[in-house]
């Protein structure tokens, strides 16, 4: 991607973010549930209620509230959480790394598992194994992440209790981290005990999030590989005596990976959305888990901050996907 | 020089991964006997239980009671007992309060808890700007003076429940000097209290690790370490206790409770708690007709609902006072009488062919079988000539509508009252001057109003019983049942159930 289109994309990203801000702000004001009503003391008078509204700036008109909030956000002030009574940006900074580590681990798992199975499925084409693989893939595709989460809890948490069910780290292990990126920090410090514990806690959420993604990659990549395998250059390589595995990996894969990459980028954003429920089920202390609490408590500043963060993340992923696609396909890089 | 091939790099990576997982030892079992792991049903949003929404969240009081002490303690049967205050009371004409502060209590940082801490905590709670959700309660006393361990103060507006509130929501003593030194944000990061456990580690939405306070005035607790795992999903809590990863859990579906308590190595206890299910009646539309209100109440088979829907886990009630409450009067009965309901409706011109119609609002999944209960009730109503349309809403919407007096004619809700006083059940739910009431009429206010400041305790309780009787006769609310809290635990433990519903680690010991 050339510099000029990149700048255009970044400009568009800002416009999109502004749109997200407007939508989330308006939506939160029209959906049922007044945060002040949840805090009213039984002995509160109308004056007390009015004072409480003024305290959180909810006594102002919608336009004034929006402008105040937007001005503060532009200065990097996302406000104070009503329920947690802490700076919203600080809270997001604490929780986002957990979600990012989880999501990237699920992405890596999905790409590796999906990629390998797609190659295997291509090699198994027109064999008795093909319908079996297609059926299993259909099953993985049809079952949503939260159902996988519950199934995994039963399987590896109860029937065969080899994996921890909840949390990010064993609470009885006294580990002090300097950053909120626990996994990266543990890897950097070569603290294998912490890495193992973190990976063990991540295993089930990663599987729940990664299995549907892997299934999508299998389906898309396999179709693209089969198509690529019919191309003349592959046939030529086959005539030269190249093995089927090398044909798929060395010849067909590079040309087939483009559409899968774009789709993976889109699916990755959906998967990050999926972390909300999956984190809840596994009591994983990420941004998604906090988002549910924020919604339950009608914590407007926190919800707004989280949605904006997710919005920025989705835009960043889309831009990154386009950049990678351009790198892999020089024609795209030059428009 | 070693050749580093791609295959070797991948092999080393795989070895590192396996080593890491093995080094982590994947601890899925709860720890040894000195550690108690509780799969808890709520998150802890804030360590300061005296301000903000956390202050009135009953689910997390067990944690606050572990770290902090209340002015006045409360036994598992809801009776009051000395806490930080060893004695308390009013003067004869109830214009002043007095409180004796327990000597020899220390904060978790080793400094002494003094009467100044108590006064500072009371005054802070009474200031509107600090954000105490029941600030109005605390503002009823003030102008405190300290003489040794005794505190005296003026009664600004008499509230017969003020000392009960000292064992209830937001009634915690906080360290004045430490709080002023570190501020609100610093306190959230490193809170200290005077309670039986000290904060050791905390990760929001994940866990809280507590260490026993060796200098606790009530004696060192039974467990050296207590871990609250915040597992808000009931299925995951079931998995936690079934897999052995947690020692205790609570609020699991009754079906799972019955299954797991029969399992080897596990035990279960179920106790009626200070939380009731009820249907608010709003004074509008068809509910202005007394016959309709009473018919709606008589048509409900509460025993049947408890037995068939809740597997027996519930206690049917006819007033807003549960049996453990101070103003419970077993003589007040409404009774299941569908024929009477039919007759009452007929007297107002309604029948099965010409039913009275209104909307009923309910949550779904907030309380055990809440939606299913309302479905059953609507079915019972249909049989007598009431056609109710169900609207499902979130609890946040309920609060908004109730504060604006815009609830539907009937609205399901649950009401907690861990101090068991009639003021905090019937009073706040039915007095029109509070934003929490749905039925707002002058006849009822005339009966409740004088009780608000009644100084004679016997007369006050008798007055509330009379109000409850009047409400039942008029059908101003439809109380349904008292909830039962299921607790599952390892059979190596002994759990003392708490009627207030707070699963405090101090109520758990080795069997």
């Amino acid at each position: 991607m050339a510099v000029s289109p990149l700048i255009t994309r970044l400009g568009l990203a800002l416009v999109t973010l502004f749109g997200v801000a407007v939508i989330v702000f308006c939506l939160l004001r029209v959906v049922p549930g007044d945060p002040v009503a949840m805090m009213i003391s039984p002995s509160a008078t109308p004056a007390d209620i009015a004072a409480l509204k003024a305290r959180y700036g909810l006594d102002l008109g919608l336009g004034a509230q929006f402008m105040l909030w937007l001005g503060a956000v532009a200065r990097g002030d996302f406000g104070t959480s009503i329920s947690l009574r802490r700076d919203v940006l600080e809270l997001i900074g604490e929780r986002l790394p957990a979600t990012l580590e989880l999501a990237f681990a699920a992405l890596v798992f999905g790409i590796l598992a999906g990629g390998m199975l797609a190659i295997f499925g291509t090699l198994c084409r027109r064999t008795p194994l093909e319908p079996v693989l297609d059926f299993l893939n259909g099953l993985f595709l049809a079952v949503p992440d939260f159902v996988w989460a519950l199934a995994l809890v039963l399987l590896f948490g109860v029937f065969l209790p080899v994996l921890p069910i909840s949390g990010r780290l064993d609470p009885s292990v006294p580990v002090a981290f300097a950053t909120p990126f626990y996994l990266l920090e543990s890897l950097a410090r070569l603290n294998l005990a912490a890495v193992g514990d973190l990976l063990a806690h991540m295993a089930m959420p990663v599987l729940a999030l990664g299995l549907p993604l892997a299934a999508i990659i299998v389906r898309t990549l396999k179709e693209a590989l089969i198509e690529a395998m019919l191309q003349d250059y592959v046939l030529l390589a086959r005539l030269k005596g190249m093995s089927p595995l090398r044909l798929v990996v060395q010849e067909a894969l590079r040309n087939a990976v483009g559409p899968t990459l774009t789709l993976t980028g889109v699916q990755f954003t959906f998967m990050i959305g999926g972390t909300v429920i999956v984190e809840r089920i596994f009591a994983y202390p990420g941004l998604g888990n906090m988002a549910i609490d924020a919604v339950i408590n009608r914590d407007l500043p926190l919800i707004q901050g989280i949605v904006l963060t997710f919005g920025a993340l989705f835009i960043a992923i889309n831009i990154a996907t386009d950049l990678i696609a351009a790198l892999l396909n020089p024609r795209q890089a030059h428009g | 020089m070693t050749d580093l091939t791609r295959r070797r790099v991948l092999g080393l990576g795989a070895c590192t991964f396996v080593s890491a997982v093995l080094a982590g030892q994947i601890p899925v079992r709860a720890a040894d006997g000195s550690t108690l792991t509780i799969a808890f049903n709520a998150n802890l949003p804030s360590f300061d239980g005296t301000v903000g929404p956390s202050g009135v969240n009953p689910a997390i009081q067990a944690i606050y009671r572990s770290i902090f002490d209340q002015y006045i303690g409360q036994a598992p049967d809801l009776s009051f007992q000395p806490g930080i205050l060893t004695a308390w009371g009013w003067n004869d004409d109830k214009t002043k309060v007095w409180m004796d502060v327990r000597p020899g209590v220390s904060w978790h940082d080793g400094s002494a808890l003094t009467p100044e801490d108590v006064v500072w905590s009371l005054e802070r709670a009474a200031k509107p700007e600090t954000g105490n959700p029941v600030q109005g309660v605390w503002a009823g006393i003030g102008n405190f003076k300290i003489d040794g361990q005794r505190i005296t103060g003026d009664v600004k507006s008499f509230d017969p429940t003020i000392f009960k509130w000292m064992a209830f929501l937001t009634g915690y003593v906080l360290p004045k000097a430490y709080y002023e030194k570190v501020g609100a944000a610093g306190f959230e990061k490193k809170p200290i209290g005077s309670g039986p456990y000290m904060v050791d580690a905390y990760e929001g939405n994940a866990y809280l690790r507590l260490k026993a306070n060796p200098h606790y005035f009530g004696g060192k607790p039974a467990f050296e370490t207590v871990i609250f795992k915040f597992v808000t999903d009931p299925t995951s809590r079931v998995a936690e206790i079934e897999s052995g990863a947690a020692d205790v859990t609570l609020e699991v579906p009754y079906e799972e409770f019955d299954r797991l308590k029969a399992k080897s190595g596990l035990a279960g206890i179920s106790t009626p708690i200070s939380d009731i299910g009820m249907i608010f009646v709003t004074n509008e539309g068809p509910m202005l007709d007394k016959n309709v209100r009473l018919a709606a109440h008589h048509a409900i088979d509460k025993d049947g609902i408890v037995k068939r829907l809740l597997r027996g886990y519930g206690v049917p009630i006819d007033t807003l006072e549960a049996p453990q409450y101070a103003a419970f009067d077993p003589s007040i009965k409404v009774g299941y009488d569908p024929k009477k309901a039919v007759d009452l409706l007929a007297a107002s011109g309604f029948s099965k062919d010409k039913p009275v119609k209104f909307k009923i609002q309910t949550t779904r999944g907030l309380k055990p079988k809440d939606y299913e209960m309302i479905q059953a009730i609507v079915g019972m109503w249909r049989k007598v000539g009431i056609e109710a349309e169900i609207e499902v809403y979130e609890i946040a919407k309920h609060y908004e509508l109730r504060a604006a007096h815009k609830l539907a004619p009937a609205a399901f809700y649950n009401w907690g009252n861990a101090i068991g006083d009639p003021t905090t059940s019937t009073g706040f739910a039915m007095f029109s001057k509070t934003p929490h009431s749905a039925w707002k009429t002058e006849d009822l206010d005339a009966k409740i109003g004088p009780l608000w400041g009644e100084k004679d305790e016997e007369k006050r309780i008798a007055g509330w019983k009379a109000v409850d009787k009047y409400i039942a006769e008029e059908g101003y609310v439809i109380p349904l049942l008292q909830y039962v809290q299921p607790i599952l635990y390892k059979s190596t433990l002994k759990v003392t159930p708490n009627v207030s519903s707070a699963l405090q680690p101090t109520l758990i010991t080795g069997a």
Side-chain angles (χ1 to χ4, degrees), chain B residues 65 70 72-76 78-82 167 418-420 498 500 504:
Chain B
R65 285 181 172 187
Q70 299 208 266
I72 293 172
Q74 193 180 33
L78 300 190
S79 62
F80 300 98
Q81 60 189 22
I419 50 174
N498 193 345
S500 83
Q504 294 162 230

Side-chain angles (χ1 to χ4, degrees), chain B residues 96-366:
Chain B
K96 287 191 180 297
V97 290
W98 60 269
M99 298 165 272
D100 288 344
V101 178
R102 184 185 293 273
V105 178
S106 56
W107 296 107
H108 293 159
D109 65 356
S111 60
L113 187 152
T114 64
E116 281 80 6
D117 290 309
V118 175
V119 167
W120 177 80
S121 299
L122 286 169
E123 288 178 340
R124 178 173 172 266
K127 287 178 189 162
E129 63 270 23
T130 53
N132 186 301
V134 291
Q135 169 268 333
V137 171
W138 303 113
I141 51 175
N143 302 328
F144 298 108
K145 290 183 180 64
I146 297 170
D147 181 13
Q149 292 301 111
R150 172 157 287 202
I151 299 168
T152 54
D154 293 340
V155 173
K156 295 177 175 176
S157 60
F158 178 73
D159 176 357
T161 63
I162 185 70
F163 290 116
K164 291 185 179 181
W165 274 97
M166 291 190 183
F168 195 26
L169 303 171
T170 79
Y172 296 95
V173 185
L174 265 53
K176 175 179 184 277
Y178 180 76
Y179 193 98
E180 286 179 343
K181 183 179 149 198
V182 299
F187 191 78
E188 287 294 342
K189 280 179 185 157
K190 192 172 168 44
I192 65 163
S194 60
Y197 285 97
M198 307 183 287
V199 175
D200 185 40
Y202 168 71
E203 176 139 18
N205 279 107
Y207 70 89
L208 168 69
R209 190 171 69 226
L210 302 173
K211 290 282 176 198
N213 175 4
H215 309 296
Y216 187 55
F217 70 79
K220 195 182 172 190
F223 298 96
E224 187 57 43
T225 304
V226 169
I227 293 166
F228 282 94
K229 285 176 162 181
F230 306 132
V231 188
T232 48
D233 182 70
T235 311
S236 301
R237 284 200 299 281
V238 167
E240 285 274 347
I241 191 78
E242 193 168 9
S243 67
D247 301 308
V248 186
T249 194
L250 71 165
E251 304 292 357
V252 295
Y254 294 128
E255 294 83 357
E256 294 293 332
F257 177 70
D258 282 342
R259 179 177 72 83
L260 290 174
K261 74 177 182 184
K263 205 174 167 183
S264 171
L266 290 177
I269 193 163
S270 53
T271 312
I273 52 167
S274 58
D275 195 6
I276 63 166
M278 59 188 279
I279 295 175
F280 270 118
V281 174
T282 307
N283 52 318
E284 65 162 47
M287 291 308 192
L288 292 171
D289 184 337
K290 181 179 172 180
N291 288 334
V292 172
R293 297 194 303 268
L294 288 176
H297 201 164
H298 284 299
I300 299 172
D301 178 8
K302 297 171 193 172
D303 279 313
I305 287 173
V306 167
K307 278 180 195 149
R308 285 189 283 277
L309 261 180
L310 302 176
R311 300 171 76 95
Y313 295 111
V315 180
I317 50 171
D318 286 322
T319 70
L320 297 181
E321 312 297 332
Q324 294 82 357
Y325 294 3
F328 175 67
D329 183 350
S331 72
I332 305 171
K333 295 275 181 202
V334 176
Y336 171 52
D337 191 343
K339 182 169 181 318
K340 192 173 179 182
V342 169
D343 293 343
L344 284 163
L345 288 170
S348 290
F350 298 113
S351 64
K352 276 167 77 175
D353 296 330
K354 190 192 162 202
V356 57
K357 296 179 182 179
F358 57 81
K359 189 186 280 183
I360 180 165
Q361 294 165 320
T362 180
T363 49
R364 188 173 194 165
L366 181 75

Side-chain angles (χ1 to χ4, degrees), chain A residues 33 41 95 157 166 171 196 281 293, chain B residues 20 43 133 205 209 236 240 243 400:
Chain A
S41 142
R95 300 298 184 85
S166 64
I281 291 170
D293 281 339
Chain B
N43 287 310
N205 279 107
R209 190 171 69 226
S236 301
E240 285 274 347
S243 67
E400 182 182 338

Side-chain angles (χ1 to χ4, degrees), chain B residues 47-64:
Chain B
F47 278 106
D48 189 344
T50 70
V51 293
S54 302
V56 283
N57 182 352
I60 51 178
Q61 299 306 309
I63 295 176
Y64 290 142

